[in-house]
Amino acid sequence: MPRLSALDATPISLALTDYMDWQALRGSSVRHRRDLKRELLRFLAVLPEDLPIDQVTREHCTSYLRSFQERGCKPLTVKAHHRILDAFFRWCVEEERIDVSPMKRVPKPKVAQEQIKPLTAEELTALLDAPNRRTFVGLRDVA
């Protein structure tokens, strides 16, 4: 089904409003919607103007994500922003606002898996001996 020509010129700010309404209808929490809106408005602020949604490019998205890397943000933070933009633009595709997401070929930031070292026998003993057994909280922690 071809897109309607009236939707071709939908400003990204209007698409954002519709996306937030959709988030509310699907039952997203107030806090989640507030956080999404804050981050998407941050993206809109770096665009040169309130562009039509179909004129947002991959370069806009990569530049926005790169700005977090350049400020020294951790890879998990950059990945969170990537996930938010990707979800928004996938919704735009599903709603037939755009044909292809500008995030389609934007690579996800790699996040190194941290190896968790097990406790040594001495550390485990110290941890188990730490609660004060003369207090309620200490007795609870021992149990």
Side-chain angles (χ1 to χ4, degrees):
M1 175 167 133
R3 287 187 323 207
L4 300 174
S5 60
L7 290 179
D8 286 349
T10 301
I12 191 169
S13 59
L14 180 59
L16 171 61
T17 301
D18 293 345
Y19 179 64
M20 296 313 300
D21 290 342
W22 177 80
Q23 285 286 338
L25 287 172
R26 71 185 283 257
S28 294
S29 71
V30 172
R31 181 177 179 173
H32 178 69
R33 292 193 318 264
R34 183 192 67 218
D35 293 345
L36 276 178
K37 186 174 183 179
R38 181 188 65 235
E39 296 309 323
L40 289 170
L41 286 173
R42 186 183 290 183
F43 174 67
L44 266 59
V46 300
L47 295 176
E49 58 185 280
D50 191 13
L51 295 174
I53 189 72
D54 60 352
Q55 290 182 18
V56 177
T57 65
R58 177 180 181 212
E59 288 72 29
H60 291 121
C61 298
T62 55
S63 173
Y64 176 70
L65 294 172
R66 204 173 320 111
S67 72
F68 288 99
Q69 290 174 327
E70 291 167 355
R71 285 187 295 206
C73 291
K74 293 187 177 188
L76 271 175
T77 301
V78 179
K79 188 174 181 178
H81 289 281
H82 183 285
R83 192 173 45 247
I84 290 168
L85 285 181
D86 192 40
F88 171 66
F89 285 112
R90 276 188 287 113
W91 175 84
C92 290
V93 170
E94 289 171 12
E95 292 290 313
E96 300 180 353
R97 307 272 176 128
I98 53 177
D99 293 324
V100 178
S101 168
M103 291 292 291
K104 184 174 182 177
R105 290 189 329 259
V106 175
K108 292 178 186 165
K110 290 186 179 183
V111 179
Q113 290 284 354
E114 291 185 30
Q115 293 293 326
I116 300 173
K117 293 187 248 178
L119 296 174
T120 65
E122 295 81 27
E123 292 170 329
L124 185 58
T125 302
L127 185 63
L128 293 174
D129 289 340
N132 182 350
R133 296 168 193 247
R134 288 182 276 185
T135 66
F136 172 77
V137 174
L139 285 173
R140 179 202 65 196
D141 290 348
V142 169

